[in-house]
Amino acid sequence: MSRKTVLAAAQLGPIQRAEGRDVAVGRMVRLMEKAHRMGAEVVVFPELALTTFFPRWYEEDLNKADHWYEHALPSNETAPLFEAARKLGIGFHLGYAEKTPDGRRFNTAIYVHPSGEVALKYRKVHLPGHKEYDPVRKVQHLEKRYFEPGDLGFPVVRAPVGETEANIGLLICNDRRWPEAWRVLGLQQVELVMLGYNTPSLNMENRGFEAHHLRVEHSHLSVRAGCYQNACYAVATAKAGTEDGHELFGHSIIVNPQGELLAQATSWDDEVIVAEADFTRCELGRTTIFDFARHRRPEHYGRITEQVGSEAPPLWKPGQSS
Ligand code: CDV
């Protein structure tokens, strides 16, 4: 059986604060149709794809922020996306703000089979930013206020992708910068990582100079390293452009298990990029240099799970044996 499929990243241009989900969903349906015309069998939308990147806006009373969250999927407003997927026979990844029936809030992603069934759900673990209003910052990043850290770990599932099957894992935005997250997926033989992101073009923490072009470079570096070191494909899809005066970089990419770029978005607007994946290509890395069973040494990795922050090393002085 062929293990090939065509992957798509459906980058979204800006969504303004005043725009409703109907606008975003309409654009997403058009992108899905375009991806289908380009031969794609799975399409990946960005993080928090249905609204503006609302964690930049402070809200004192979280109950007044309920309109940013999905309380059920599909809802009346998101149903057209699920219907389009069914009609086109295309699977899709969706990032959204989730409010559970018992009132918990998560930054969530799902992989939806063309039937409309959710094959995999993930809740963002590495929440960046801060919880309280920060008067020093020019722009807030309140993910720690609006969401609690994910409680599902980093699950992988083998599920249909087009005519084939693949071991699928999900990451969300900031997760892509953490090798621990990729390795937990790699340890489950992940073959395809879908991830969406909203990343400002400037470092809003203002704690030192960071060149503009390096923001994109660091994003790509993280995804490419994650793919290479875990022998998997990734589709990393951006929200791009200027939302209410706040610029997000695009540069969505599709990466192969060698860490090579197969496709890259060139606009900061709605855009589809596609690339063919052949999941048999995940076997080379997994059975050679990154054959975990033969080469990993977890007895030396204790700090990874036992320690959170970094610790200064002991000082060595000349004349002192090591
Ligand atoms: N949405 C994000 O998780 N953004 C973070 C930035 C702002 C640190 C990111 O890693 O891109």
Side-chain angles (χ1 to χ4, degrees):
M1 180 177 95
S2 161
R3 298 213 57 219
K4 290 183 182 172
T5 189
V6 177
L7 309 170
Q11 177 173 289
L12 278 168
I15 300 175
Q16 307 307 328
R17 189 180 184 179
E19 284 178 310
R21 278 172 189 63
D22 53 329
V23 179
V25 169
R27 283 164 56 185
M28 290 165 79
V29 169
R30 285 194 291 281
L31 287 169
M32 190 184 270
E33 289 167 348
K34 185 165 184 189
H36 178 67
R37 286 196 298 276
M38 292 165 83
E41 296 179 304
V42 55
V43 56
V44 178
F45 292 108
E47 173 192 35
L48 301 176
L50 300 166
T51 64
T52 195
F53 186 70
F54 67 87
R56 70 167 69 88
W57 303 108
Y58 179 74
E59 176 58 71
E60 176 72 33
D61 180 0
L62 270 188
N63 293 318
K64 292 195 184 138
D66 267 357
H67 59 286
W68 295 122
Y69 297 83
E70 306 310 307
H71 302 260
L73 275 180
S75 58
N76 286 344
E77 287 153 311
T78 52
L81 202 52
F82 288 73
E83 279 157 24
R86 204 167 12 246
K87 196 176 101 198
L88 301 170
I90 199 165
F92 70 97
H93 158 285
L94 176 68
Y96 64 101
E98 174 189 13
K99 185 160 180 206
T100 67
D102 58 354
R104 300 175 71 191
R105 297 174 169 87
F106 297 100
N107 187 340
T108 297
I110 49 175
Y111 172 60
V112 184
H113 181 262
S115 64
E117 292 163 273
V118 175
L120 184 63
K121 180 185 239 186
Y122 167 68
R123 291 170 171 158
K124 186 174 183 177
V125 166
H126 297 102
L127 297 174
H130 47 108
K131 194 166 186 163
E132 301 304 331
Y133 184 81
D134 181 352
V136 175
R137 291 179 67 112
K138 283 196 191 136
V139 184
Q140 305 296 302
H141 193 111
L142 291 154
E143 282 195 63
K144 283 184 161 63
R145 181 175 192 81
Y146 285 113
F147 307 114
E148 60 181 280
D151 61 350
L152 302 174
F154 296 98
V156 173
V157 71
R158 189 171 184 88
V161 177
E163 299 297 304
T164 187
E165 290 175 349
N167 302 344
I168 297 170
L170 309 174
L171 296 175
I172 303 179
C173 195
N174 191 254
D175 289 322
R176 73 195 186 285
R177 305 183 195 273
W178 298 89
E180 298 91 332
W182 288 93
R183 184 46 48 88
V184 175
L185 296 178
L187 285 165
Q188 299 168 83
Q189 298 186 1
V190 74
E191 294 171 322
L192 172 59
V193 175
M194 306 185 202
L195 72 96
Y197 61 94
N198 282 270
T199 305
S201 299
L202 296 174
N203 186 336
M204 294 302 176
E205 291 212 45
N206 291 328
R207 292 204 190 160
F209 175 70
E210 189 178 24
H212 188 277
H213 71 282
L214 291 180
R215 302 277 290 168
V216 174
E217 177 67 16
H218 294 157
S219 176
H220 287 185
L221 188 64
S222 302
V223 177
R224 294 179 59 197
C227 287
Y228 166 61
Q229 292 168 349
N230 296 282
C232 62
Y233 287 86
V235 181
T237 308
K239 179 104 79 56
T242 305
E243 295 189 337
D244 297 287
H246 305 290
E247 189 181 278
L248 301 164
F249 67 69
H251 290 84
S252 303
I253 48 173
I254 304 177
V255 179
N256 74 9
Q258 300 286 345
E260 293 171 292
L261 290 190
L262 299 179
Q264 177 172 254
T266 54
S267 78
W268 284 21
D269 214 329
D270 290 5
E271 180 176 347
V272 179
I273 54 170
V274 295
E276 186 180 79
D278 178 352
F279 295 114
T280 62
R281 297 206 178 161
C282 299
E283 284 161 26
L284 179 65
R286 198 195 292 156
T287 55
T288 58
I289 199 158
F290 294 115
D291 181 344
F292 295 158
R294 278 198 291 150
H295 305 309
R296 287 184 79 248
R297 290 285 171 256
E299 66 273 26
H300 297 296
Y301 306 154
R303 280 183 189 270
I304 299 279
T305 53
E306 285 157 18
Q307 192 178 319
V308 182
S310 62
E311 288 173 6
L315 178 66
W316 179 88
K317 291 183 181 146
Q320 176 187 317
S321 54
S322 61

